[in-house]
């Protein structure tokens, strides 16, 4: 016995390739994997039917609990270009089974959307461009600082409002109210899961603004210092923690979209100090 390989048969390979439009399934790559060879009878193919869990013992992501049939099944394969198929095997911590499965699912959805859409620009590229715009809108202190150090609460609230408007309408305003950049609102996102996540983020932003309004009315915090050096003390520590954890969760959801889109991710900064 020893080292047998559970390779895909050619029908499975064809199925893997065709279900993603013969493009690499890595969302950051999306390279077309075949084209005309100078020999009129040949096709140049740089696509690989890669194993999600390795075909043989000792390989990347090998799962001993799988049967040989499962190992060579369509479910265990992903269509990639040659360089991405090497990439996923060099670092199994960075490219775990779950990530590859989500790549595959996304690539399949994208392929059928491209078939359905009449537009010249593929749906995925349009979505990615919009997500990139939203990402810029979230890259600001209001999504980085501990609530105790947010500066003026009015400015914080304004920043959250501006971000919400950008997400809803695609218009990003500057502090003085002039329009900085115009894109489309979140309803234009074609990927249904991404759109659902962006709606969730919008709900959370609205909740932050509402909760802040109540906190102000109920004088739930006191202010120390003046101008830029203002700091806040919340009498209700759990409430202060909620403002932090909610923003952290928002960035987590946003990052999960960015990861699939092959964009950089934003993270809520570590607390600088606590009282
Ligand atoms: Zn690739």
């Amino acid at each position: 016995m020893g080292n047998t390989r559970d390779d895909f048969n050619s029908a499975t390979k064809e199925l893997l390739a065709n279900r993603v439009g013969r493009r690499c399934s890595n969302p950051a790559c999306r390279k077309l994997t075949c084209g005309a060879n100078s020999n009129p009878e040949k096709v140049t193919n740089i696509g690989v039917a890669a194993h999600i869990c390795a075909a043989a013992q000792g390989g990347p992501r090998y799962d001993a609990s799988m049967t040989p049939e499962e190992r060579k099944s369509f479910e265990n394969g992903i269509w990639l270009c040659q360089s991405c198929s090497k990439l996923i095997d060099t670092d199994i911590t960075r490219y775990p089974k779950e990530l590859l499965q989500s790549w595959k699912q996304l690539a399949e959805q994208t392929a059928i959307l491209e078939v359905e859409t009449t537009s010249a620009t593929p749906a995925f590229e349009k979505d990615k461009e919009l997500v990139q715009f939203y990402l810029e809108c979230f890259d600001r202190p209001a999504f980085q600082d501990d609530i105790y150090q947010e500066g003026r609460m009015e400015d914080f609230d304004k920043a959250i409002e501006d971000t919400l408007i950008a997400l809803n309408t695609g218009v990003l305003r500057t502090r003085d109210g002039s329009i900085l950049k115009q894109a489309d609102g979140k309803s234009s996102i074609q990927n249904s899961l991404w759109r659902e996540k962006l709606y969730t983020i919008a709900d959370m932003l609205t909740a932050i603004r509402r909760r802040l309004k109540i906190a102000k009315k109920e004088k739930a915090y006191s202010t120390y210092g003046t101008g830029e050096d203002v700091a806040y003390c919340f009498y209700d520590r759990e409430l202060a923690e909620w403002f932090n954890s909610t923003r952290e969760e928002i960035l987590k959801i946003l990052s999960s979209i960015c990861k699939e889109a092959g964009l950089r991710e934003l993270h809520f900064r570590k607390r600088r100090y606590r009282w």
Side-chain angles (χ1 to χ4, degrees):
M1 289 289 287
N3 226 2
T4 52
R5 284 186 56 87
D6 298 314
D7 288 322
F8 301 119
N9 63 29
S10 52
T12 304
K13 286 180 188 170
E14 280 300 290
L15 190 61
L16 285 165
N18 287 332
R19 280 182 60 93
V20 295
R22 295 198 170 262
R23 285 185 182 276
C24 174
S25 301
N26 177 355
C29 176
R30 308 287 301 135
K31 199 179 169 72
L32 194 60
T33 58
C34 66
N37 192 284
S38 48
N39 177 339
E41 289 175 5
K42 278 188 168 175
V43 168
T44 296
N45 175 47
I46 58 152
V48 179
H51 281 77
I52 293 175
C53 294
Q57 208 174 340
R61 293 169 297 272
Y62 181 77
D63 181 353
S65 72
M66 288 167 78
T67 64
E69 282 66 35
E70 285 171 335
R71 234 169 260 130
K72 55 185 162 191
S73 70
F74 166 80
E75 283 69 32
N76 191 39
I78 179 169
W79 189 256
L80 295 167
C81 73
Q82 277 171 356
S83 93
C84 289
S85 77
K86 286 222 170 63
L87 182 70
I88 63 157
D89 288 349
T90 54
D91 188 345
I92 55 168
T93 313
R94 199 171 164 83
Y95 304 103
K97 180 176 100 180
E98 294 74 22
L99 178 71
L100 302 182
Q101 285 167 339
S102 74
W103 282 6
K104 180 180 179 180
Q105 198 189 8
L106 183 69
E108 290 185 340
Q109 282 174 8
T110 307
I112 192 62
L113 270 174
E114 282 189 44
V115 170
E116 287 166 352
T117 189
T118 48
S119 155
T121 318
F124 178 82
E125 292 306 323
K126 271 189 184 168
D127 279 3
K128 185 175 171 177
E129 222 169 86
L130 263 184
V131 171
Q132 170 76 52
F133 165 74
Y134 301 144
L135 187 62
E136 284 168 33
C137 302
F138 279 87
D139 194 3
R140 59 198 305 170
F143 294 95
Q144 292 160 356
D145 295 344
D146 194 301
I147 194 72
Y148 299 118
Q149 298 168 319
E150 263 311 334
R152 288 176 58 230
M153 278 300 160
E154 290 75 15
D155 291 342
F156 174 65
D157 183 52
K158 176 79 168 43
I160 301 285
E161 185 190 18
D162 285 347
T163 310
L164 190 55
I165 290 171
L167 201 55
N168 288 341
T169 66
V171 175
L172 181 62
R173 298 184 309 189
T174 58
R175 276 198 171 191
D176 62 17
S178 58
I179 291 172
L180 197 67
K181 200 179 165 186
Q182 189 136 21
D184 281 319
K186 62 186 183 321
S187 59
S188 307
I189 293 280
Q190 300 202 40
N191 180 305
S192 57
L193 183 62
W194 292 6
R195 201 170 56 234
E196 199 57 40
K197 284 180 174 179
L198 291 168
Y199 273 85
T200 306
I201 290 174
D203 288 345
M204 292 167 86
L205 290 172
T206 306
I208 288 177
R209 294 197 67 213
R210 287 198 175 139
R211 193 66 191 89
L212 200 61
K213 214 169 160 186
I214 297 170
K216 194 184 176 184
K217 249 182 212 162
E218 293 184 332
K219 296 186 169 47
Y221 55 83
S222 62
T223 315
Y224 294 92
T226 49
E228 293 291 306
D229 293 322
V230 73
Y232 289 88
C233 177
F234 277 81
Y235 302 118
D236 182 351
R237 280 177 67 157
E238 280 175 1
L239 174 60
E241 200 44 52
W242 181 83
F243 280 114
N244 286 338
S245 61
T246 305
R247 287 178 296 157
E248 190 173 8
E249 186 59 28
I250 285 173
L251 294 190
K252 241 196 258 169
I253 299 172
L254 186 65
S255 288
S256 72
I257 301 174
C258 293
K259 203 169 185 178
E260 289 188 354
L263 295 166
R264 78 196 163 96
E265 295 162 46
L266 289 179
H267 299 283
F268 198 69
R269 280 187 205 158
K270 290 273 173 290
R271 319 264 188 274
R272 273 165 289 187
Y273 63 82
R274 299 184 68 158
W275 4 320

